[in-house]
Amino acid sequence: MKPPPFDYHAPRDVAETLEVLAASGEGGKVLAGGQSLIPLLNMRLAAPSCLVDINRVAALDTLEVEPGGVRVGALARHAAVERSPAAARVQPLLRAALRLVAHPVIRNRGTVVGSLVHADPSAELPAVLAVLGGSVRLARHGGATRDVPAEAFFTGPLESALEPGELAVSAFFPSPPPRTGSAFQEVARRHGDYAIAGAAAVVGLDEDLRVTAARVACVSAGPVPVTVDVTDACARRPAASVPWDAVADAVRGNVDPEEDIHASARYRGHLTGVLAVRALRLAAAEAGRAEERAAGGVTGGAE
Ligand SMILES: Cc1cc2nc3c(=O)[nH]c(=O)nc-3n(C[C@H](O)[C@H](O)[C@H](O)COP(=O)(O)OP(=O)(O)OC[C@H]3O[C@@H](n4cnc5c(N)ncnc54)[C@H](O)[C@@H]3O)c2cc1C
């Protein structure tokens, strides 16, 4: 099928982009990697009156890595972030999740920020932003820039806090505190497919390696990434003696997955608990290794 007719603009800088978006109002849509938007247009599931192609706006093709976190510009492709050793060192969960996003060809075009704005509850990156407590920076013509935290950014399936006329200029993924590990686990029918279920986990340990913070963000488990704090369920114990069955039940009690042709809601809920615990255990092990490296004065290489 072919898309419905639309006006096309290809601005060269951010100011021009914001002007065109302001003038296009409700009918304006940003075109980034096009890996989600173009199929939606071709299937006539979206009919914007104006496409604002940001692919020539070089100022948005940025990846800033600082000790406090990774800021990903709107034109940074999945592949560029995945392959950045510096980004993986400061926030390893990004690379772990990006390796599960679609296939290399799609990752060469698709953008991290586009994936967040697309806000598919089956996608990996919204869960990563949610579990890390990251944020998305939005800008508009003649208005103030605003940073929207993940918990307010995802408002429903394929819906976000982005308003007509706004451009998402970047997303920020904070770095983990000391003695903290992370992991991503998912099950998909084929590698590269959207996940039937999945979980991003972050675990923090104290100096005696007891779990002091543990949370997961679950994929395909509700209308938005479902974040569950399971610190209490981990009972401040070392990972080896955490009551993991109780943790899995705590996660399952917070998710509300839907049935589709790939899985029943019941199976998806069960799987979410299993994957959450797998991810939490891996994250706790990673946190332990981070502590060993810190104690031994060895710098962690994430490449
Ligand atoms: C075969 C296939 C398999 C895939 N599998 C997966 C998968 O397993 N996991 C996964 O997470 N994704 C998957 N994807 C989607 C892929 O990750 C896309 O790259 C991503 O969803 C959207 O990024 P994009 O840059 O292509 O955005 P686009 O398609 O260009 O845009 C998507 C939406 O976001 C808006 N948008 C984009 N950027 C901005 C911005 N800067 N400001 C405001 N609005 C913006 C657009 O207007 C549009 O509404 C798959 C895609 C394909 C084609």
Side-chain angles (χ1 to χ4, degrees), residues 74-222:
L75 255 195
R77 313 286 171 181
H78 295 315
V81 181
E82 176 193 352
R83 291 180 196 146
S84 162
R89 238 182 331 266
V90 167
Q91 186 38 266
L93 188 57
L94 258 178
R95 178 181 278 181
L98 278 164
R99 285 181 168 159
L100 301 170
V101 172
H103 307 283
V105 174
I106 291 157
R107 299 205 291 270
N108 283 339
R109 288 297 302 170
T111 63
V112 167
V113 170
S115 195
L116 298 172
V117 175
H118 189 56
D120 189 325
S122 306
E124 289 82 3
L125 294 175
V128 170
L129 194 82
V131 81
L132 295 177
S135 58
V136 179
R137 181 163 290 173
L138 304 177
R140 66 162 56 251
H141 177 62
T145 297
R146 58 187 185 121
D147 284 328
V148 183
E151 67 264 26
F153 187 72
F154 303 108
T155 54
L158 308 189
E159 287 173 13
S160 77
L162 182 100
E163 290 173 2
E166 282 187 314
L167 172 72
V169 286
S170 64
F172 183 68
F173 298 85
S175 58
R179 281 194 294 270
T180 298
S182 59
F184 201 107
Q185 289 285 293
E186 71 174 35
V187 167
R189 282 174 62 83
R190 296 165 304 191
H191 179 74
D193 282 3
Y194 279 102
I196 291 174
V202 173
V203 172
L205 305 177
D206 66 13
E207 53 279 9
D208 298 321
L209 304 186
R210 289 175 304 206
V211 175
T212 52
R215 56 185 188 283
V216 289
C218 305
V219 167
S220 300

Side-chain angles (χ1 to χ4, degrees), residues 249-261:
D249 287 343
V251 172
R252 290 184 188 115
N254 280 279
V255 299
D256 187 18
E258 285 193 353
E259 179 170 81
D260 64 13
I261 55 164

